[in-house]
Amino acid sequence: MNRLFGSKSATPKPTLNSAISNTETHIESLDVKLAKLTAELSTYQSRMSKMRDGPGKSALRSKALKVLQRRKQLETQRDSLSQQSWNMTQASMMTDNLTNTMATVDAMKGASKQLRKQYGKIDVDKVERMQDEMAELMELGDEIQGSLGRSYDVPEDVDEAELDAELEALGEEAGYEAGFGVGAGEGEGVPGFMVDEVPQFVDEPPEMGKVKEAAG
């Protein structure tokens, strides 16, 4: 049967990337040929610049013309292959972008399905009730803290006149204590009249320890 109808070819179909690679290889070989033809034209030009007009120079000119024609043909082929390579490169880029887009769409579909599955397990009403309970608990906590921080039996109706009277009384008391030498350095615990004035028949002022004993 295979002899009559033939068999399927086992050769794999060329891909876009392989076609681009083959085209680029062909372009590189044309570049090499074009470089050789350009060098050959340069040689003819150098030789003809040193020759006088005549049959020899005309022969070199004919050869240079044929080389130039071949180079033009190769340049045309190279330009055509370069355009083909660029078109295939753009097609490859579009294919890659489409593949990435499809992969992104599939990933987003899977994520959306997973999110719907997860959020479907959450009861929004329960969440709202939990939030209300938390707000009530916070308010109750504030009330408890305020109750614990309340002061007891502290008069709040003290006016400025009462404050001035209290300060004046404290000032008079401080003056009275200063008159009797209370807290006055060396005379501490000794009446003011004993510190300031010492009788003439006493040779030395009284010692602090003895004065305290006598006072006791």
Side-chain angles (χ1 to χ4, degrees):
M1 295 294 293
N2 290 337
R3 292 180 180 178
L4 295 176
F5 300 101
S7 59
K8 293 183 179 180
S9 176
T11 304
K13 295 181 179 180
T15 61
L16 194 58
N17 290 330
S18 63
I20 294 173
S21 178
N22 294 333
T23 304
E24 293 293 335
T25 301
H26 196 184
I27 292 173
E28 291 176 358
S29 65
L30 289 178
D31 288 335
V32 173
K33 295 178 179 180
L34 287 171
K36 291 181 178 180
L37 292 176
T38 301
E40 187 175 355
L41 282 175
S42 298
T43 302
Y44 290 151
Q45 190 274 336
S46 177
R47 291 175 60 184
M48 287 188 296
S49 63
K50 300 176 182 179
M51 297 175 63
R52 296 180 179 179
D53 294 337
K57 188 174 182 179
S58 297
L60 287 178
R61 188 177 182 85
S62 298
K63 292 181 179 180
L65 183 60
K66 292 179 180 179
V67 171
L68 181 60
Q69 289 175 348
R70 290 200 302 270
R71 194 182 74 170
K72 289 292 184 181
Q73 292 176 352
L74 292 179
E75 287 176 349
T76 302
Q77 293 180 9
R78 184 189 181 282
D79 293 340
S80 178
L81 290 175
S82 296
Q83 186 61 43
Q84 294 177 18
S85 177
W86 172 244
N87 292 337
M88 288 188 292
T89 301
Q90 285 186 320
S92 178
M93 292 173 60
M94 292 178 62
T95 303
D96 293 339
N97 291 336
L98 181 59
T99 302
N100 294 333
T101 301
M102 294 302 298
T104 303
V105 171
D106 291 339
M108 292 179 66
K109 286 182 179 178
S112 178
K113 183 179 180 180
Q114 185 68 21
L115 287 173
R116 285 197 300 269
K117 183 178 179 182
Q118 294 295 330
Y119 282 121
K121 299 178 181 179
I122 299 176
D123 189 348
V124 179
D125 295 334
K126 290 183 179 180
V127 175
E128 291 293 338
R129 289 195 296 269
M130 181 183 66
Q131 292 291 341
D132 294 338
E133 292 176 359
M134 290 296 297
E136 292 177 358
L137 291 174
M138 293 296 293
E139 184 177 357
L140 179 60
D142 293 338
E143 293 178 359
I144 294 173
Q145 293 296 328
S147 178
L148 293 176
R150 186 177 59 186
S151 59
Y152 300 97
D153 297 334
V154 177
E156 298 181 356
D157 54 348
V158 178
D159 55 6
E160 295 185 1
E162 187 176 354
L163 174 62
D164 294 337
E166 182 68 22
L167 293 177
E168 185 178 356
L170 291 175
E172 293 177 356
E173 183 179 353
Y176 177 78
E177 292 179 355
F180 284 92
V182 178
E186 296 181 355
E188 183 179 0
V190 181
F193 65 89
M194 295 184 65
V195 175
D196 297 336
E197 298 180 2
V198 179
Q200 295 180 358
F201 57 84
V202 178
D203 295 334
E204 297 179 358
E207 296 180 2
M208 296 299 299
K210 294 181 178 181
V211 172
K212 292 181 179 179
E213 292 177 0

